[in-house]
């Protein structure tokens, strides 16, 4: 198997596991289930991942890395807040199962991976907070972080609220997030 085929198989396993974990929960899915859904035997999965926990760890660490990497690129654009919202909405619509897995199966994540995800997510929140404070210098850091988290909550509701076709849902989420971030300012203490 070539390196590209190996990477492709790993990606397939991660995507399939995300769907299964989202549907049945981490503990409701076995290595055999993941393998069967990928067209391989359960033991063949161990050629790609050391364990089911390793699948979950790579899944959640890699999405956190992607969010931060692309978010950092988007923050360099002319309208960074709009670019960040657009990116996060796109991500949420494309990766609904990962949002469910992150929310529901967090405790099943190995401790080292959990700390890595937390670190990446803090950096992602701070990236947004920096842009919010650039747009409104009156915001203090805790408020800007809270606003970023609130925007993520709205956007990450897609697994449960996306009752419209994706194109329409994209418009709804984008306008709501931009409106909340740009038009609604919390009261000062």
């Amino acid at each position: 198997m070539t390196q590209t085929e190996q990477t492709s198989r790993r990606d397939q396993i991660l995507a399939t596991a995300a769907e299964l974990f989202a549907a049945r929960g981490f503990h409701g899915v076995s290595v055999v289930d993941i393998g069967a859904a990928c067209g391989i035997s359960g033991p063949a999965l161990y050629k790609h991942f050391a364990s089911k926990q390793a699948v979950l760890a790579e899944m959640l660490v890699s999405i956190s890395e992607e969010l931060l990497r692309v978010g950092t690129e988007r923050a360099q654009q002319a309208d960074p807040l709009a670019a960040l919202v657009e990116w996060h909405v796109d991500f949420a619509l494309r990766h609904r199962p990962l949002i469910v897995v992150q929310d529901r199966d967090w405790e099943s994540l190995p401790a080292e991976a959990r700390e890595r995800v937390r670190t990446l997510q803090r950096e992602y929140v701070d990236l947004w907070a920096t842009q919010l404070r650039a747009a409104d210098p009156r915001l203090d850091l805790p408020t800007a972080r809270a606003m970023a988290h609130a925007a993520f909550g709205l956007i990450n509701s897609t697994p449960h609220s996306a009752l419209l076709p994706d194109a329409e849902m994209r418009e709804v989420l984008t306008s709501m997030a931009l409106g909340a971030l740009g038009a609604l300012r919390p009261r000062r203490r």
Side-chain angles (χ1 to χ4, degrees):
M1 190 176 268
T2 69
Q3 182 65 30
T4 302
E5 290 170 328
Q6 192 94 343
T7 301
S8 177
R9 177 62 81 176
R10 284 179 72 83
D11 291 343
Q12 177 197 19
I13 291 167
L14 290 169
T16 300
E19 292 282 343
L20 291 171
F21 293 166
R24 300 184 346 217
F26 178 78
H27 295 292
V29 176
S30 70
V31 169
V32 171
D33 295 332
I34 297 168
C38 291
I40 60 176
S41 70
L45 189 108
Y46 293 116
K47 292 179 187 174
H48 305 280
F49 295 95
S51 65
K52 186 172 78 164
Q53 287 80 12
V55 172
L56 180 64
E58 184 165 328
M59 181 187 303
L60 296 183
V61 168
S62 67
I63 64 164
S64 297
E65 290 171 341
E66 181 181 359
L67 280 166
L68 181 59
R69 180 182 51 76
V70 177
T72 300
E73 293 168 7
R74 295 295 180 100
Q76 303 307 311
Q77 294 185 7
D79 188 349
L81 280 177
L84 285 168
V85 167
E86 178 185 302
W87 157 240
H88 201 101
V89 167
D90 180 65
F91 182 89
L93 288 170
R94 286 185 297 114
H95 298 291
R96 288 177 180 100
L98 292 173
I99 293 169
V100 171
V101 171
Q102 166 84 26
D103 287 346
R104 188 182 51 216
D105 296 315
W106 175 255
E107 291 301 319
S108 297
L109 195 59
E112 185 177 308
R114 194 173 324 142
E115 189 53 40
R116 177 74 177 134
V117 170
R118 277 192 185 116
T119 298
L120 291 163
Q121 289 177 348
R122 276 192 296 270
E123 290 177 34
Y124 188 60
V125 168
D126 283 345
L127 176 72
W128 280 63
T130 298
Q131 297 309 317
L132 286 163
R133 293 180 77 204
D136 184 351
R138 297 169 299 161
L139 290 174
D140 61 19
L141 185 57
T143 301
R145 285 178 175 151
M147 291 173 69
H149 278 288
F152 299 158
L154 185 152
I155 296 167
N156 289 345
S157 71
T158 53
H160 316 291
S161 67
L163 305 175
L164 300 171
D166 281 359
E168 291 175 49
M169 198 66 206
R170 181 178 319 280
E171 284 183 40
V172 167
L173 290 170
T174 300
S175 65
M176 288 181 72
L178 287 172
L181 291 170
L184 305 174
R185 294 289 185 235
R187 280 190 257 165
R188 302 283 177 253
R189 291 182 206 148

